[in-house]
DNA sequence: TCAACAGTGTAACAGATGTTACACTTTAAT
DNA sequence: ATTAAAGTGTAACATCTGTTACACTGTTGA
């Protein structure tokens, strides 16, 4: 079994462990390998252990890491899979997880996670933070999706990303990706953008946006 | 100060405390009272302590407990306010919180929460579970919102709530509430429902729904 | 019994977005 | 430099949803 790089894992990075080998040996867990295209987790399956992806990459169909709606999220080792669901009352996975290549999954029992959290403050806060960040991400997406008009979404998004009025800022998405992010059709987004440019509310140059009239922009959100 | 009913609080209920008085005295925290209509938390404020509502009720404008979009959520004591954000990297409150009556808020420093979690396993799992449930709730809402057509939302919702094909089941929302839940206009929902009834896919009697053709219902979601 | 009201069905119309198609520009690779 | 591919602007049209309005039903309480 290949050595796991703990420092790269969002929930383990802060662990100060002298004896990494010993730490992993003491951890009660089972490791299982999967072939390419093998189904690792089926939607609805009970989640009673933390699934830690230690090698390879997997895909899940859900809200993706970069925010696209119902797209395919690709997760690379090392990262926990759906850690938030381990403690929920209805502890079922919301999605299928499929191996994209040769994959190793470390399955750590819930009780063991609890033990880790109780004994290692750094692990606990990392784990909490990781989940909290995910929650905040979901909240933001929900706010954006609950805005019904395309112009409203654009306004919300630009106001959230701008530094200050009149100062140009980069959006690291092209128009097609932005449309996916908003969950709208690309030509529809283009139309809305060009109307907002026409009205003198914003200006756009490639991926560089400038807010010209933040007051009117705010009014659009409703 | 009025005595707090710990057993009713979702994150404290499992605490086995002989000396409740002593427990609260040992807890490093500050309590503050607010008048009716007073702003307790401003959107964007830094969240570096757990805000526990110990008395009264507050409102926040966000995704509500019963799932309505951008509605006003009313929270009654005892319940923590936005516990998920305490540990997030970008620890800012996403919403305003306003007192609906005379309110008491117990502000517990993050370090104190960490201490509690480290020393009281029951508190830790309750806290984790509460946050996890919230995450799962958000995930479900996001899935529903990402479906763009009204019929699709209806299909997703009914399939999720039905016991089995052909067996009637109750939805504890009227049509108006259901429309709010989906984030659509009431007449639009009525139209979609009547079309689906016309097509023989479902039948509806007051709040009792029956799935007649689950295959076609599944096709609608897309 | 009656009135008031919430809840529902439905229609006409307006507005927003999706779909499809195509031309044009920019970028990257050869 | 040339070409292919990706990205963008835009138009015409179809479709869906929201808005507004009104009639009808069932429920509730006086």
């Amino acid at each position: 079994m290949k050595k796991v790089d703990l420092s790269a894992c969002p929930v383990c990075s802060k662990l100060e462990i002298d004896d990494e080998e010993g730490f992993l040996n003491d951890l009660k867990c089972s490791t299982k390998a999967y072939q390419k295209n093998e189904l690792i987790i089926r939607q609805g399956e009970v989640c009673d252990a933390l699934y830690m992806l230690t090698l390879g990459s997997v895909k899940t169909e859900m809200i993706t890491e970069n925010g696209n709606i119902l797209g395919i999220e690709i997760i690379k080792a090392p990262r926990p899979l759906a850690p938030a669901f381990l403690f929920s009352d209805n502890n079922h996975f919301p999605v299928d997880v499929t191996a994209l290549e040769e994959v190793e999954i470390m399955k750590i029992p819930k009780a063991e996670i609890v033990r880790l959290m109780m004994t290692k403050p750094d692990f606990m806060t990392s784990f909490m933070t990781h989940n909290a960040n995910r929650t905040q991400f979901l909240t933001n997406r929900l706010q954006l999706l609950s805005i019904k008009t395309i112009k409203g979404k654009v306004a919300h998004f630009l106001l959230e990303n701008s530094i200050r009025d009149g100062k140009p800022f980069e959006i690291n998405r092209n128009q097609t990706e932005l449309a996916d992010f908003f969950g709208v059709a690309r030509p529809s987004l283009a139309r809305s953008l060009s109307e907002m440019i026409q009205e003198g509310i914003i200006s756009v140059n490639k991926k560089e946006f400038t807010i010209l009239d933040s007051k009117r922009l705010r009014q659009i959100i409703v």
Side-chain angles (χ1 to χ4, degrees), chain A:
Chain A
M1 190 172 105
K2 197 184 160 188
K3 188 159 175 286
V4 183
D5 180 11
L6 286 181
S7 68
C9 169
V11 300
C12 301
S13 61
K14 284 185 180 169
L15 276 176
E16 292 194 5
I17 301 168
D18 308 320
D19 180 14
E20 200 168 293
E21 193 83 20
F23 167 74
L24 285 173
N25 284 340
D26 286 348
L27 192 66
K28 274 178 200 135
C29 64
S30 60
T31 303
K32 193 172 170 187
Y34 295 85
Q35 302 295 314
K36 183 176 176 178
N37 292 328
E38 197 173 346
L39 189 63
I40 300 170
I41 299 171
R42 191 182 302 277
Q43 184 179 351
E45 212 169 288
V46 170
C47 169
D48 54 0
L50 183 71
Y51 286 69
M52 177 66 79
L53 178 65
T54 51
L55 179 71
S57 57
V58 302
K59 69 168 179 185
T60 72
E61 292 183 29
M62 196 46 196
I63 313 300
T64 69
E65 194 82 336
N66 51 14
N68 289 356
I69 298 157
L70 284 189
I72 293 174
E73 178 176 17
I74 293 176
I75 300 175
K76 290 177 184 165
R79 240 200 65 184
L81 304 178
F85 293 92
L86 179 55
F87 284 88
S88 71
D89 286 325
N90 170 24
N91 55 343
H92 297 270
F93 281 102
V95 289
D96 288 344
V97 178
T98 312
L100 282 177
E101 51 187 311
E102 266 191 55
V103 155
E104 262 180 23
I105 302 276
M106 190 188 286
K107 210 169 157 181
I108 310 169
K110 183 172 171 177
E112 196 66 357
I113 296 294
V114 172
R115 182 182 69 81
L116 273 183
M117 291 181 72
M118 298 301 294
T119 54
K120 303 202 183 300
D122 289 336
F123 178 80
M124 192 206 71
T125 53
S126 294
F127 194 70
M128 293 298 296
T129 299
H130 184 73
N131 287 336
N133 287 343
R134 190 73 186 162
T135 301
Q136 187 151 54
F137 169 77
L138 290 177
T139 301
N140 286 343
R141 297 269 39 222
L142 215 32
Q143 259 184 329
L144 189 66
L145 275 185
S146 68
I147 299 170
K148 282 175 200 149
T149 65
I150 296 181
K151 287 185 184 178
K153 290 175 207 272
V154 171
H156 176 92
F157 179 77
L158 292 182
L159 286 170
E160 199 176 38
N161 284 70
S162 81
I163 301 96
R164 70 156 197 276
D165 265 38
K167 180 167 181 175
F169 54 95
E170 284 278 322
I171 298 295
N172 63 344
R173 291 177 154 89
N174 64 33
Q175 210 183 72
T176 307
E177 290 165 346
L178 207 52
D180 282 343
F181 181 69
F182 290 151
V184 301
R186 201 269 310 161
S188 303
L189 175 60
R191 173 173 42 204
S192 293
L193 282 177
S194 71
E195 282 170 11
M196 291 168 85
I197 294 167
Q198 208 67 35
E199 294 162 16
I201 300 175
I202 61 171
S203 73
V204 182
N205 189 337
K206 317 242 172 145
K207 293 181 180 180
E208 190 182 90
F209 288 73
T210 311
I211 296 178
L212 302 177
D213 189 340
S214 66
K215 194 181 165 196
R216 270 196 290 167
L217 199 59
R218 251 174 269 277
Q219 285 171 345
I220 288 176
I221 297 184
V222 179

